[in-house]
Amino acid sequence: MAIAKAERLMNLALCLLGTRRPLSKRELRGSIEAYLEAGTDDSFNRMFERDKDDLRELGLVIETVENLDGEAGYLARRDSNRLPAITLDAEEAAALGLAAKVWQQARLAGAASGALQKLRAAGMPEAEDPYEGHQSALEPRIPVHETAFEPLMLACRDRRPVVFDYRKANAARPETRHVEPWTLECWRGHWYLAGWDRERGAERVFRLSRITGKVRSRAGSFTAEVPDVVTVRETVESWAGETATRTALIKLRQGSGYPLRARATAVRDLGDGWDELAIPYGHGLDAWLVELGPEVVVLEPADLRADVVDRLRAVAKD
């Protein structure tokens, strides 16, 4: 449905931008296939008015002109809808150049490079690199190593359901998941997919590194409503452990686990090379602790300790 509406809006915008004289509703209805398929005049009028309002909200300037017979006509003059020339100073150009270096994934790197070339051809100044000729100590990067990233990115963009095999951290074998993908989010260097799990009938978050095999696309439309992007991001943060709802007490070997130490509300030296830390945490801390292996021991709560032990046992079986 979202793709159909976007196509209808695009066709209406092209009609209004391409005409030299105002077009009546009757003429527009005869020119756009989606309007021809409208069952009644009332349904067409409601659809047209919504589309016209949506285009205006998107910034298209649509004029309403009455002819000699009092019939309303519509057009979008090109001079009223032409963007001004792009002008960037050296600092703005440097910021765009820095942003283009962030992506390492091939498809996105190519798109960013192409965009910069077009801007430079339009007169964007060349950014001066203060570190030119030297190896910069810090370089912005968003690493993407998972092969599932690109097909999932495209599925999120095109609103296409997908199927993939997913192995939970405490599971011995992967399970097949049928998902309506919403968005991809990066948290603490790991990529997560948020979407609607059709078999479970609920929203779920999947860590891309645990997807095995290929991501397969499926025909059909989404069955669940896609929430606001801010809501989805909060869901990912909660599942990945960003939203702290409890406090854990852990024993951590000295000289290790620096991200955990940065979040600790209290640290006590236990001697023999170990520290005791109080860590605020939410969903997902057990998976993070497992990655530290023998460097960490969970003291409390008991359910978190049990989850970590279960995950370690599952790994040991492989």
Side-chain angles (χ1 to χ4, degrees):
M1 293 298 292
I3 296 176
K5 181 176 181 180
E7 183 178 356
R8 193 174 71 240
L9 290 175
M10 179 64 71
N11 288 335
L12 177 58
L14 291 175
C15 283
L16 296 176
L17 287 167
T19 182
R20 294 184 178 181
R21 62 174 181 81
L23 297 176
S24 66
K25 284 185 179 182
R26 174 179 46 81
E27 291 172 312
L28 289 169
R29 187 176 186 180
S31 302
I32 299 175
E33 183 177 359
Y35 291 158
L36 286 172
E37 296 175 353
T40 64
D41 290 341
D42 288 340
S43 61
F44 159 69
N45 287 328
R46 288 194 299 269
M47 186 185 301
F48 173 74
E49 293 299 328
R50 285 196 303 267
D51 290 349
K52 182 158 56 70
D53 291 341
D54 288 343
L55 286 178
R56 282 173 169 163
E57 288 184 7
L58 291 172
L60 190 69
V61 180
I62 302 175
E63 297 182 23
T64 303
V65 181
E66 289 189 2
N67 60 20
L68 296 177
D69 298 327
E71 184 181 20
Y74 307 89
L75 79 161
R77 301 184 191 277
R78 290 183 176 271
D79 55 353
S80 300
N81 290 281
R82 185 178 293 114
L83 291 175
I86 298 175
T87 56
L88 299 173
D89 57 28
E91 289 78 9
E92 291 169 333
L96 284 177
L98 188 65
K101 294 180 181 179
V102 168
W103 288 102
Q104 290 179 325
Q105 205 267 348
R107 176 181 291 267
L108 300 177
S113 176
L116 281 182
Q117 291 178 3
K118 291 178 181 179
L119 287 172
R120 286 167 181 157
M124 184 183 82
E126 291 286 342
E128 295 183 3
D129 187 356
Y131 301 102
E132 186 177 0
H134 302 278
Q135 180 65 33
S136 178
L138 296 174
E139 291 187 8
R141 290 290 186 268
I142 298 180
V144 179
H145 305 295
E146 296 86 355
T147 57
F149 178 87
E150 185 167 320
L152 288 176
M153 178 191 70
L154 297 176
C156 290
R157 183 197 67 183
D158 299 337
R159 291 287 186 258
R160 286 185 285 105
V162 294
V163 177
F164 53 79
D165 294 331
Y166 186 77
R167 179 176 177 176
K168 295 190 295 186
N170 58 350
R173 295 181 179 84
E175 298 178 353
T176 301
R177 300 297 187 96
H178 298 260
V179 179
E180 298 172 10
W182 293 341
T183 188
L184 292 166
E185 291 287 341
C186 186
W187 185 83
R188 294 191 180 278
H190 297 291
W191 280 98
Y192 296 86
L193 169 71
W196 182 261
D197 191 318
R198 286 182 166 179
E199 293 185 347
R200 289 156 182 79
E203 64 180 1
R204 288 291 185 269
V205 174
F206 306 92
R207 183 163 156 174
L208 265 60
S209 60
R210 298 190 185 124
I211 295 178
T212 62
K214 292 184 178 180
V215 175
R216 290 95 68 192
S217 298
R218 290 293 180 263
S221 57
F222 282 14
T223 60
E225 182 180 355
V226 179
D228 182 82
V229 65
V230 176
T231 303
V232 175
R233 186 172 293 116
E234 291 174 349
T235 300
V236 173
E237 292 174 352
S238 176
W239 277 76
E242 179 70 17
T243 305
T245 57
R246 306 171 66 185
T247 300
L249 197 62
I250 66 172
K251 190 167 72 169
L252 186 64
R253 196 184 300 275
Q254 292 177 352
S256 66
Y258 289 103
L260 284 175
R261 294 180 181 277
R263 300 184 64 188
T265 57
V267 180
R268 184 166 66 94
D269 188 346
L270 298 177
D272 297 329
W274 290 87
D275 291 330
E276 182 184 86
L277 283 72
I279 305 291
Y281 79 98
H283 182 92
L285 180 63
D286 52 345
W288 193 7
L289 294 174
V290 167
E291 294 179 359
L292 295 175
E295 305 299 317
V296 64
V297 177
V298 179
L299 301 177
E300 56 182 59
D303 58 343
L304 176 62
R305 180 182 176 88
D307 289 341
V308 172
V309 171
D310 288 343
R311 289 176 180 268
L312 289 173
R313 285 173 176 168
V315 173
K317 290 180 181 179
D318 294 341

